[in-house]
Amino acid sequence: MKCRFGLLFCLLVLYIFPADASGSEKVSGDRKLEIVFCMDLSGSTNGLINDLRDNLWHIINQAKLLTPKPELRIGVVGFSRPSFKKENSYVKVLCDLTTDFDFLAAELSKIRPSIEKGDQYIGAALRKGVLDISWSEEEDAKKIIYIVGNGMVADPSGEYIKSCELAVKRNITINSIYVVSNYKAKEILGWHKIATMGRGISSEMTVGFREKINDETVATKEFFNAARDFNLTCMFYSVNGMTKYMEYRKADSIAYAGGNASFFERVYYKSMNLITGGMSWDVVNYYTRTGLLPAYSDTLLFPDSLKNKSNEYIYDLVKTLKSDRQRSVSRMNTMLINDYPLKMHDRYANGELKDDNNLFSRCVINMLLKQWKE
């Protein structure tokens, strides 16, 4: 028996699937869709980052339901935070375009939701969104910037105008979402102008409004328990496996804190992502797909709890975890069978979920539906 496992672990030259240096998974689609959220994080938009975090999985799920199927990447630029430093015009790329949305969620978790004040350089934020993001060079790629915030757009150098012109030259669409404030009357025209110059769409929102799940077929407590049991079956491996596992758990925590609708969308995303080969850091997923364990040369690639454990022990553990996972997935799929995100997608397509209620997610998705097939 020991010889059998020695051969299994020493001679297998199987392909290990670690995420690449940027944390991106390999994905496919009919057309590239690249979205960058340019977020105002000043005092006048306190809580806006929570709107992005809490609606992230809803937006991703809706984007993935588009036809033709998109190859989706998302990035985020933040502006108007003193910590981003004056020499950078208080602008920072928080996450470059990526397909690894666990990584993206983990990066967003590092941002405090509120500050007392912040200087706004909207033109500089747009410029960074155009120049410092790794946009695709493919001609038919759909490239969109959503600039979200408030304040006066005009600046002495006219940088916002130059940035919009540069975006158009690079086939990048700019949509503007104005965060309603007491100064709307004098600020809103500038935000409309950004969208006009960027060949995009303008809308407005109020911070803190959330989409709510209204499907009574979802038993919340049972759903949370099934998701918890699924996570208990996760076991990382590979050099960066622990990092990816921690990002995965952080993404779960943020979604849980965002409320029932956010957590439901997160679990729905995970169920779809698992089908298409996600969780490349997870040995149970590897075993489920291949029927084998990955080749490795150092048990330290596994969690500390498996140090000095025999090959037989690890093999039996993985088989047990696979069985446990099948049960938890079956439970989750039973609760996901109503396909609530698909129903929501139909409602968006039918015009039922308009952005006149000032919800961040509705603004984003309605704009995307109008622009995807252009």
Side-chain angles (χ1 to χ4, degrees), residues 12-296:
L12 284 177
V13 195
L14 292 175
Y15 191 110
I16 296 180
F17 298 95
D20 63 26
S22 66
S24 295
E25 302 281 356
K26 300 300 180 184
V27 296
S28 61
D30 300 320
R31 182 189 183 194
K32 290 185 183 296
L33 172 59
E34 299 176 336
I35 296 173
V36 169
F37 292 102
C38 217
M39 308 294 286
D40 179 354
L41 303 179
S42 64
S44 64
T45 60
N46 277 341
L48 180 60
I49 193 67
N50 284 338
D51 280 10
L52 177 57
R53 289 192 288 227
D54 294 348
N55 288 287
L56 179 63
W57 305 107
H58 177 55
I59 292 169
I60 291 170
N61 288 336
Q62 290 301 310
K64 285 180 170 288
L65 289 170
L66 292 169
T67 304
K69 179 184 175 183
E71 182 178 324
L72 178 65
R73 294 200 299 162
I74 297 177
V76 180
V77 173
F79 65 100
S80 303
R81 277 287 166 103
S83 61
F84 298 161
K85 299 183 180 180
K86 185 176 182 179
E87 58 265 33
N88 300 320
S89 301
Y90 306 111
V91 183
K92 182 179 181 181
V93 175
L94 302 179
C95 182
D96 198 359
L97 285 166
T98 183
T99 61
D100 188 340
F101 303 128
D102 288 357
F103 171 75
L104 170 61
E107 290 299 293
L108 293 178
S109 73
K110 300 174 182 178
I111 306 299
R112 287 191 298 133
S114 61
I115 60 169
E116 292 183 1
K117 63 176 184 178
D119 296 320
Q120 293 165 303
Y121 294 89
I122 295 171
L126 283 170
R127 185 173 182 82
K128 186 167 284 287
V130 174
L131 294 179
D132 292 3
I133 293 292
S134 56
W135 297 100
S136 171
E137 296 295 331
E138 295 184 17
E139 290 186 7
D140 70 336
K142 191 64 179 177
K143 298 176 282 188
I144 303 174
I145 290 175
Y146 289 90
I147 185 158
V148 190
N150 57 31
M152 296 300 294
V153 167
D155 57 80
S157 65
E159 187 167 14
Y160 83 99
I161 297 175
K162 298 173 186 175
S163 297
C164 288
E165 292 173 345
L166 186 60
V168 171
K169 288 181 180 178
R170 299 191 175 204
N171 200 30
I172 301 171
T173 300
I174 301 178
N175 295 324
S176 68
I177 302 177
Y178 177 76
V179 177
V180 176
S181 76
N182 294 332
Y183 305 102
K184 175 181 174 180
K186 67 177 182 180
E187 295 175 348
I188 190 66
L189 289 179
W191 289 80
H192 287 328
K193 188 174 181 179
I194 287 177
T196 300
M197 295 187 63
R199 298 181 181 177
I201 303 170
S202 62
S203 188
E204 57 186 67
M205 61 165 285
T206 302
V207 172
F209 279 49
R210 299 286 189 276
E211 198 71 72
K212 295 180 180 179
I213 187 168
N214 57 8
D215 194 314
E216 296 179 357
T217 63
V218 179
T220 303
K221 184 177 180 180
E222 185 179 350
F223 191 69
F224 287 161
N225 288 341
R228 176 205 61 202
D229 291 346
F230 178 91
N231 284 345
L232 291 174
T233 69
C234 295
M235 191 171 86
F236 62 81
Y237 76 105
S238 80
V239 175
N240 63 349
M242 183 175 181
T243 299
K244 306 314 297 177
Y245 171 72
M246 295 305 294
E247 291 169 355
Y248 166 89
R249 293 308 301 268
K250 175 63 72 173
D252 270 5
S253 296
I254 295 169
Y256 182 83
N260 291 351
S262 178
F263 191 74
F264 182 92
E265 296 278 1
R266 163 67 176 164
V267 175
Y268 181 90
Y269 166 80
K270 289 200 297 184
S271 69
M272 296 298 102
N273 193 40
L274 191 63
I275 291 171
T276 56
M279 294 178 65
S280 59
W281 46 266
D282 176 56
V283 71
V284 178
N285 184 41
Y286 187 101
Y287 176 72
T288 300
R289 289 186 290 110
T290 66
L292 300 167
L293 295 183
Y296 74 103

Side-chain angles (χ1 to χ4, degrees), residues 293-352:
L293 295 183
Y296 74 103
S297 57
D298 188 346
T299 56
L300 293 178
L301 296 179
F302 284 123
D304 289 345
S305 61
L306 296 180
K307 285 181 179 178
N308 303 318
K309 296 294 185 181
S310 67
N311 296 341
E312 292 91 338
Y313 178 91
I314 295 174
Y315 185 73
D316 288 341
L317 174 61
V318 172
K319 286 196 298 182
T320 299
L321 291 176
K322 178 187 174 183
S323 297
D324 292 344
R325 176 168 297 181
Q326 288 173 333
R327 286 191 291 270
S328 64
V329 168
S330 178
R331 289 166 59 199
M332 288 192 296
N333 285 343
T334 298
M335 288 176 274
L336 290 169
I337 199 168
N338 59 353
D339 212 346
Y340 185 71
L342 183 58
K343 292 179 181 178
M344 291 286 286
H345 194 74
D346 290 339
R347 294 179 67 195
Y348 276 114
N350 294 333
E352 293 180 44

